[in-house]
Amino acid sequence: MNSQFFAGGLGILEGDKFYEMAKMNREYTVLTLLYKDGYVEYDENLNPKSQNNLKEHMKELLIPEEELEFQMGSLGKVIIRPYSLRKGKAKVVFFSAESPERVVKATERLYIEDSPDDFTIKYCTLAKASYIYITQRVEDVERIDLQESLASLVSLLLPKELLVKTRLIIHTPGPWGHPYIDSHYIIDFLGVNLEGNNMITKLSGDRVSKILTVSKKHYDITLRVFPEYKEKLGYATNAVNLDRWSYPGMEDVKDEKSLIKLHQKAKRELIALLKMHKRVREDSMIIAWTRRITLYKRPYFVERLINEIEDKDLLFVTGGKAHPKDGIGLDQMRKFKELAERRDNVIFLKNYDIVRAKLVLSGSDLLLFTPFSGWEASGTSFMKAGINGIPTVASRDGSTVEMIRHGENGWLFGRDLREFINIFTETEKVSKIDEDDFKEFKDVFLNAVDNSFR
């Protein structure tokens, strides 16, 4: 069983869907766990800590519903309190574990577990609570979408009449998106008889009626990984909610002059945030690389770029969090921190969040998007920047090859790889690709700087 499951913007993406459905006045229900301690934050020395401050916000925003009770084998009776957030006809239901303590402890934090047992307890609890809620409290189910493998264990419990309405949405091409679970957990916690160490994606994929990937390229790669699902497999490219990510007034922009004027306003707001970190020149061109910090997103590309470019008119903003068990990501956070301490024109936002993302993705002048080709399922940061008039220098990965027209609404670099290359084991091949990609990246970046408005 793989307990090292790291993920980034899926929750943000689902939030966008929720807001869009609410705007359309559609009946829409999101089911998820209530992570009372949130995810992770980092102190000044980059030591991780829980987001305990979330608990008070939950009490203010969420409406309690009637408790759920069910049995989970050796764990005994589990009590779940659903809390809902409503907007129009759409709602999000957060399952809060109330007892036993073993389940409460396992479900406290998002993507962080102390043991393999916690990993399985967490997602089997989500499966059982979702099954009970769907079958007892949701009327006239039109469709069930299981977002990512870990949310798909409920497919083991759903009756056939609901499975024909159920789709699995795969959000990751890499191996971390297809973890395994030992059958003894499934037998104990869910009461379903299985044998062996099972890939969760396969367990669900064999049962659902349809499997969707989140970009055309992701579809091509997934078809190579799971050729047995050719008849079930399709794709629906990710998108973002305009109201959530557009800078206020963007809907009224009519021409280049009004766009530049509005961008300058957004940029001043971003500069106000950046001044909380160090003195900055307000006439600098702001270059942003901000996202989850992990190896496949190639944060070392922007680190190398900064080290090789001495242009003081460029202000580089890096930011993001690494999973606290991702040693490579944590090391890169330290490198970004040291770079910001050494260079006047570099700022590192160690606790990058939605509030900061809205400022960066509306107030920067140029966004950098650098994942290793074949590892990014879609990506949405360049979309959020794009709707605010900010172009992106992007590797040919995810949905950039569908949405970016080189030299028109952004710039592309690097290979468009459609086979999956393991960046952790095929290091010699990866190093050669990286070196070639970086040379083109730097050339394209310098051209973008010369052709972007500031």
Side-chain angles (χ1 to χ4, degrees):
M1 188 207 65
N2 178 8
S3 63
Q4 301 300 305
F5 191 94
F6 308 154
L10 180 55
I12 306 298
L13 177 66
E14 292 311 305
D16 278 18
K17 292 179 183 177
F18 167 73
Y19 285 115
E20 195 66 31
M21 286 296 187
K23 181 180 179 181
M24 296 168 63
N25 202 33
R26 295 287 301 273
E27 296 278 357
Y28 187 72
T29 303
V30 181
L31 304 178
T32 186
L33 291 171
L34 179 58
Y35 300 103
K36 298 173 185 176
D37 285 341
Y39 179 47
V40 66
E41 290 185 351
Y42 289 91
D43 64 19
E44 293 303 316
N45 296 315
L46 300 186
N47 297 311
K49 57 183 180 179
S50 299
Q51 294 177 304
N52 293 318
N53 59 312
L54 294 178
K55 293 180 180 178
E56 292 304 315
H57 295 297
M58 294 172 186
K59 293 178 182 178
E60 297 173 4
L61 295 173
L62 305 181
I63 301 170
E65 298 185 6
E66 184 180 349
E67 288 182 346
L68 304 175
E69 293 186 6
F70 49 83
Q71 295 291 324
M72 284 186 63
S74 61
L75 295 171
K77 183 172 72 173
V78 176
I79 298 177
I80 298 291
R81 171 71 73 180
Y83 288 86
S84 61
L85 174 67
R86 296 176 179 270
K87 190 174 179 63
K89 292 183 179 180
K91 72 172 180 176
V92 183
V93 178
F94 297 90
F95 296 127
S96 172
E98 304 298 311
S99 70
E101 184 61 28
R102 189 74 184 83
V103 176
V104 174
K105 185 68 176 175
T107 58
E108 285 179 334
R109 302 181 71 187
L110 173 65
Y111 293 128
I112 298 173
E113 301 89 28
D114 293 331
S115 69
D117 283 352
D118 282 354
F119 175 88
T120 52
I121 290 171
K122 175 186 291 186
Y123 295 109
C124 286
T125 299
L126 174 61
K128 198 68 177 283
S130 297
Y131 165 71
I132 299 294
Y133 199 94
I134 291 169
T135 55
Q136 295 184 6
R137 301 191 185 181
V138 180
E139 298 179 359
D140 301 323
V141 175
E142 178 182 343
R143 178 178 294 126
I144 300 173
D145 281 348
L146 307 178
Q147 303 293 340
E148 198 61 282
S149 293
L150 292 181
S152 73
L153 286 172
V154 68
S155 64
L156 299 175
L157 303 172
L158 293 173
K160 290 182 179 179
E161 59 267 25
L162 288 179
L163 282 174
V164 298
K165 302 177 180 181
T166 301
R167 305 184 300 188
L168 171 64
I169 318 299
I170 298 177
H171 290 268
T172 49
W176 67 92
H178 310 293
Y180 287 77
I181 187 168
D182 195 294
S183 61
H184 86 266
Y185 292 111
I186 300 297
I187 295 169
D188 184 6
F189 300 151
L190 301 183
V192 177
N193 288 318
L194 294 174
E195 294 182 359
N197 194 22
N198 297 276
M199 180 188 286
I200 299 176
T201 303
K202 285 281 293 174
L203 289 176
S204 179
D206 290 346
R207 289 165 171 76
V208 301
S209 64
K210 185 76 174 176
I211 303 172
L212 294 178
T213 61
V214 293
S215 72
K216 175 60 169 66
K217 179 172 179 176
H218 185 205
Y219 167 84
D220 293 341
I221 294 171
T222 303
L223 189 58
R224 292 170 179 256
V225 178
F226 297 106
E228 65 271 31
Y229 293 141
K230 182 178 181 180
E231 298 304 315
K232 288 186 177 183
L233 197 63
Y235 75 94
T237 302
N238 279 341
V240 300
N241 177 259
L242 295 179
D243 293 340
R244 194 181 191 194
W245 294 102
S246 295
Y247 186 78
M250 190 59 64
E251 68 276 7
D252 297 323
V253 167
K254 298 296 188 292
D255 51 32
E256 183 178 345
K257 183 178 180 181
S258 59
L259 174 61
I260 292 175
K261 183 178 180 180
L262 189 65
H263 174 71
Q264 290 171 340
K265 182 181 178 183
K267 185 172 180 177
R268 287 193 294 270
E269 291 189 18
L270 173 58
I271 287 173
L273 168 68
L274 300 180
K275 283 183 176 180
M276 297 172 65
H277 295 266
K278 64 172 57 174
R279 292 179 61 185
V280 298
R281 284 176 43 187
E282 297 192 10
D283 61 344
S284 296
M285 181 177 183
I286 300 178
I287 314 296
W289 187 101
T290 47
R291 53 191 32 86
R292 181 166 61 99
I293 299 178
T294 195
L295 183 64
Y296 84 84
K297 293 183 183 286
R298 297 198 291 196
Y300 49 90
F301 264 38
V302 69
E303 178 195 359
R304 179 176 171 183
L305 182 72
I306 293 170
N307 282 323
E308 292 187 9
I309 291 180
E310 297 294 333
D311 191 340
K312 300 299 184 183
D313 292 333
L314 303 180
L315 174 61
F316 290 93
V317 178
T318 63
K321 301 176 187 177
H323 190 284
K325 294 183 180 179
D326 183 353
I328 295 174
L330 291 172
D331 184 59
Q332 185 64 57
M333 286 185 73
R334 287 188 283 270
K335 291 178 179 178
F336 279 150
K337 179 176 181 289
E338 293 167 359
L339 199 55
E341 291 170 347
R342 190 173 74 250
R343 292 277 295 267
D344 291 337
N345 67 330
V346 180
I347 290 174
F348 175 49
L349 305 175
K350 66 181 183 301
N351 286 315
Y352 188 62
D353 57 13
I354 293 178
V355 174
R356 293 174 178 84
K358 288 184 176 181
L359 291 171
V360 169
L361 297 174
S362 62
S364 298
D365 295 304
L366 184 67
L367 183 70
L368 305 181
F369 182 84
T370 58
F372 189 90
S373 189
W375 277 68
E376 187 70 74
S378 172
T380 58
S381 61
F382 67 91
M383 302 179 196
K384 296 163 187 169
I387 62 178
N388 289 297
I390 301 169
T392 299
V393 172
S395 57
R396 290 180 169 88
D397 204 22
S399 56
T400 63
V401 291
E402 296 176 58
M403 298 188 178
I404 293 180
R405 298 293 177 263
H406 184 74
E408 296 179 17
N409 62 343
W411 295 267
L412 297 169
F413 73 90
R415 304 187 195 186
D416 182 0
L417 301 174
R418 300 284 166 145
E419 75 275 15
F420 183 76
I421 297 174
N422 193 320
I423 59 177
F424 295 100
T425 59
E426 301 177 71
T427 53
E428 187 173 341
K429 180 185 290 187
V430 169
S431 180
K432 176 65 169 62
I433 293 170
D434 272 355
E435 193 59 34
D436 292 342
D437 278 5
F438 181 80
K439 290 178 182 176
E440 187 177 356
F441 168 59
K442 184 178 179 181
D443 289 343
V444 170
F445 169 78
L446 292 174
N447 177 63
V449 168
D450 288 341
N451 288 278
S452 297
F453 68 81
R454 306 191 181 196

